[in-house]
Amino acid sequence: MFSKNTKYNLKVKTVFLLMFSVCFQFSALAQNSGWTPSSFEIVKSNYKTFKTTQYAHVFSGSKNNIVRLAPDLQGLQGIQLPLEKYKSGTNTPLQLRFKEPVKVIVGIFQENNSEYLQSNKLENAKLVLKNGLTITGLPSVNVYALSFPKGKQTINPGNGLFAILGVIKDTQKLSFRNAELPDGKLWNPTFIVEGFSDEKPLFEIIGGENKAVVDEGMSGTEGIQGGFEGGRVVKVGDTYHMFPTERAGEIGVDYYYDRVKTRIGHWTSKDAIHWKRESTIYQASGTYAITEDDNPMNDRRAAIWSYMPVFNEKVNKWYGYYLAYTVSKTIEPNHSFGRIWRCESTIDGIDGIGGPYKDMGIIMEPGLDSEPWEGRQGVASFFPYKVGDKYFGFYSGAYPFNSWADYPKKTGKGWFVALAESKSLEGPWSRIKDGSNPIKTIHPFFVENPIVSQLPNGLYIAVFDGGPDGWGHHLPNMMAYSLSKDGKNWGEARYLPIETKVDKWWDIMRTPLCLIPEGNDVYTIVYAAIDLKKRFHPMGMVKVKLNKEVMESRLKELK
């Protein structure tokens, strides 16, 4: 699993966040909450407009999106310029018609490069926001106001890329300030946000709960200090069954122990909103290692994570696949040398999902067939799925070694997935060694906990954790999906901005536990996320609707 060691105490972090929140609110009150827009018409052009807000798709022919913006800009109407034409200077001049005198709000990239419009080329422009906008993959943005009279005007400040972020009334009073927003090149590579790109979205976010569905203090959460992380939710009949990793920890013990002293819980619900805890499936020991390497003297079940129930129709039983770690007090990551266990329900049939379960042994572990990219944390998750007459299994690694000479402590950064194969769910499972692992077509360095199912047209879909915008990382901070035609070759990730349709109660998005079909092309997703003001990590729920027309077009596009 992705290490959450932020290297500072949770209490200090909470105080900082509260102070930041108060300062931000005071700053927002001191500034205009937003500038007053003015209407305009685009003349002789088919350029689209966009609402200047988070995730806005600023340039056509690109994956660049807004991830930070000053509140002054919020809600303005920008114009989606063609990226490559403006970079190369082959664009035709943009003409706009105004009903009154206006100020056009323009974003200028702070890089001395011929691809970008240089600020010294602007005439009669006023710098109003320094570092006022962050666009993924692009340099820092200064925001200028350019005045224009009523009527048809040509917006052509010079060669190179710039962003038109809105048009406001000329009477709007503007004063300079530094918004201190980060450089967009920190978000590299750029990524596709579903519903905020040139393509139609596969899923429409249609709603869900505006707060966590399992949160601290609710029935069943007693004794769980740190809340939840990944696992799986399945639906049997009219009942949802959730098997989350419970970050139990111990009362009076530091929060970091929450992710060591873990257990696998079994929860049920009739609506994916109101949950009842049924039992504990597995409990980790929480015992720290006594050596730094992968040594049998260490307790190799010190932390247990990522329980994945799969029904085996052939034997009429539920199988469970889960991850057991060695843990360290002093080495980053503290979760090390993951091993994947398989267990079976002792009760036959589909209703045996609640167990009890018995262990059947380890199916994957570090060994002679491991590769350096699996790193100190691998094998870090596992999910099996059927393709034709055989099975593939996503397995993962993290904190990679550059070479085996770096073992056991000298690690890099990266959270990767790869495929193993087997003729049966029981195994044996073999790492695929054809050069395709790790799979970087989904994302070059961050994919966690993929869960695979099939869409109505046979496309395989994997939903997964897309990575945090936090702890020093600049990742999409959204759950994501990837598609495959054959179950082996996977396409580029698309990220789901669910906060555009439900209230964002979290700071950091983590792991989707399911994509459950409900009929009428509606799917349920239960997900884990983090509210940084809390030690307890809650669970949420959202509904999405599949666009079958887009699904068919994606099938044709995939190789």
Side-chain angles (χ1 to χ4, degrees):
M1 301 296 292
F2 172 57
S3 175
K4 308 177 187 71
N5 183 9
T6 58
K7 305 187 182 204
Y8 50 84
N9 188 275
L10 180 64
K11 292 181 180 178
V12 174
K13 178 171 65 175
T14 301
V15 170
F16 170 81
L17 286 165
L18 289 172
M19 290 174 65
F20 174 82
S21 177
V22 170
C23 291
F24 178 82
Q25 290 175 34
F26 178 82
S27 175
L29 288 172
Q31 302 293 332
N32 292 325
S33 59
W35 292 330
T36 304
S38 180
S39 62
F40 61 89
E41 176 190 350
I42 302 174
V43 180
K44 295 181 181 180
S45 171
N46 59 357
Y47 294 166
K48 296 179 181 178
T49 61
F50 63 87
K51 185 177 180 181
T52 305
T53 186
Q54 190 176 34
Y55 304 132
H57 183 46
V58 183
F59 302 109
S60 60
S62 81
K63 302 174 190 174
N64 308 99
N65 296 81
I66 294 173
V67 287
R68 300 280 193 280
L69 74 161
D72 317 65
L73 301 169
Q74 181 73 34
L76 297 181
Q77 189 176 41
I79 300 173
Q80 199 177 91
L81 304 179
L83 181 81
E84 293 303 326
K85 287 186 177 181
Y86 272 78
K87 271 192 171 186
S88 64
T90 60
N91 56 288
T92 56
L94 175 65
Q95 292 186 325
L96 302 179
R97 181 176 286 112
F98 308 117
K99 295 181 179 180
E100 61 181 339
V102 299
K103 294 183 177 79
V104 177
I105 305 302
V106 175
I108 302 297
F109 297 99
Q110 298 179 54
E111 189 162 296
N112 187 17
N113 184 313
S114 61
E115 291 185 332
Y116 302 109
L117 176 67
Q118 300 304 300
S119 59
N120 60 13
K121 299 296 184 182
L122 297 177
E123 296 181 4
N124 302 316
K126 179 179 181 181
L127 176 61
V128 290
L129 290 172
K130 184 176 176 62
N131 301 311
L133 190 73
T134 303
I135 302 175
T136 57
L138 294 173
S140 299
V141 180
N142 286 341
V143 177
Y144 290 80
L146 283 71
S147 294
F148 288 92
K150 177 182 176 180
K152 186 172 74 173
Q153 305 295 334
T154 299
I155 315 300
N156 190 25
N159 289 331
L161 186 67
F162 59 92
I164 294 187
L165 304 170
V167 177
I168 63 175
K169 293 181 179 297
D170 191 56
T171 54
Q172 176 82 56
K173 293 183 178 180
L174 304 177
S175 57
F176 170 81
R177 68 185 176 92
N178 188 346
E180 299 182 340
L181 297 179
D183 190 328
K185 289 188 292 185
L186 294 170
W187 281 261
N188 189 20
T190 53
F191 47 87
I192 299 172
V193 182
E194 191 87 333
F196 292 87
S197 72
D198 292 333
E199 63 185 28
K200 291 183 179 179
L202 179 63
F203 291 105
E204 178 192 358
I205 300 144
I206 59 174
E209 291 300 292
N210 291 317
K211 59 183 180 180
V213 296
V214 187
D215 206 347
E216 187 174 18
M218 292 182 178
S219 177
T221 63
E222 301 85 1
I224 305 175
Q225 311 305 304
F228 303 97
E229 231 308 282
R232 193 183 186 197
V233 176
V234 296
K235 192 175 184 182
V236 178
D238 64 351
T239 302
Y240 299 87
H241 296 262
M242 178 168 66
F243 297 85
T245 302
E246 297 177 349
R247 304 170 71 255
E250 287 184 3
I251 295 174
V253 178
D254 188 80
Y255 78 98
Y256 197 51
Y257 196 53
D258 297 348
R259 60 192 309 270
V260 176
K261 186 78 170 180
T262 57
R263 66 192 188 201
I264 305 300
H266 175 213
W267 297 66
T268 60
S269 175
K270 294 294 185 181
D271 57 8
I273 301 171
H274 304 90
W275 291 90
K276 176 185 177 184
R277 194 178 190 279
E278 301 287 352
S279 65
T280 297
I281 303 297
Y282 283 102
Q283 171 73 61
S285 70
T287 304
Y288 285 107
I290 59 176
T291 71
E292 297 177 340
D293 60 344
D294 186 15
N295 193 309
M297 294 176 63
N298 299 324
D299 187 334
R300 290 172 167 173
R301 294 174 64 90
I304 292 176
W305 288 73
S306 301
Y307 187 88
M308 300 292 177
V310 177
F311 188 67
N312 187 339
E313 295 181 356
K314 185 177 180 180
V315 299
N316 196 33
K317 281 183 181 291
W318 282 96
Y319 286 4
Y321 300 83
Y322 66 92
L323 167 62
Y325 279 124
T326 299
V327 297
S328 170
K329 270 189 176 180
T330 59
I331 301 172
E332 175 75 6
N334 75 327
H335 285 172
S336 304
F337 314 123
R339 287 173 161 79
I340 305 300
W341 286 74
R342 184 178 74 83
C343 59
E344 294 182 1
S345 173
T346 59
I347 299 173
D348 290 348
I350 197 77
D351 293 329
I353 188 170
Y357 287 82
K358 62 178 180 180
D359 280 325
M360 304 304 292
I362 295 170
I363 64 163
M364 286 193 77
E365 63 182 329
L368 294 177
D369 58 346
S370 297
E371 297 178 297
W373 66 262
E374 295 179 35
R376 185 176 172 88
Q377 204 169 56
V379 180
S381 70
F382 186 81
F383 187 87
Y385 57 98
K386 191 172 185 180
V387 177
D389 59 356
K390 66 178 179 180
Y391 291 86
F392 287 133
F394 267 119
Y395 71 98
S396 67
Y399 292 85
F401 302 118
N402 185 51
S403 70
W404 287 123
D406 293 337
Y407 176 89
K409 293 193 298 181
K410 187 179 177 182
T411 60
K413 295 293 185 181
W415 294 262
F416 303 105
V417 293
L419 287 175
E421 59 185 350
S422 175
K423 293 181 179 179
S424 71
L425 283 169
E426 295 82 8
W429 289 89
S430 301
R431 292 164 170 85
I432 292 176
K433 296 287 188 176
D434 63 1
S436 61
N437 285 335
I439 299 168
K440 295 186 177 182
T441 53
I442 302 173
H443 186 279
F445 62 88
F446 197 103
V447 179
E448 268 206 342
N449 301 312
I451 295 176
V452 179
S453 56
Q454 283 184 278
L455 297 177
N457 66 348
L459 272 176
Y460 294 89
I461 182 168
V463 293
F464 58 92
D465 174 359
D469 182 4
W471 304 309
H473 302 280
H474 296 282
L475 288 156
N477 206 30
M478 291 174 272
M479 65 180 77
Y481 73 86
S482 173
L483 299 175
S484 174
K485 195 172 185 176
D486 59 6
K488 185 174 187 293
N489 298 285
W490 290 88
E492 184 177 359
R494 269 75 171 174
Y495 296 85
L496 298 176
I498 67 173
E499 63 267 42
T500 59
K501 294 292 180 69
V502 298
D503 291 347
K504 186 182 178 185
W505 52 263
W506 65 92
D507 296 296
I508 294 178
M509 175 58 64
R510 290 308 322 267
T511 310
L513 280 73
C514 58
L515 182 69
I516 296 175
E518 306 287 12
N520 297 319
D521 302 322
V522 173
Y523 290 77
T524 296
I525 301 174
V526 178
Y527 60 92
I530 298 172
D531 178 348
L532 288 172
K533 296 184 293 297
K534 297 180 178 181
R535 176 173 176 170
F536 191 99
H537 299 174
M539 287 286 192
M541 187 275 282
V542 68
K543 299 276 189 180
V544 298
K545 189 175 180 66
L546 176 70
N547 185 322
K548 284 188 173 179
E549 180 183 340
V550 174
M551 176 184 69
E552 294 301 335
S553 67
R554 297 280 179 88
L555 177 62
K556 294 176 183 177
E557 292 168 5
L558 290 171
K559 297 179 180 179

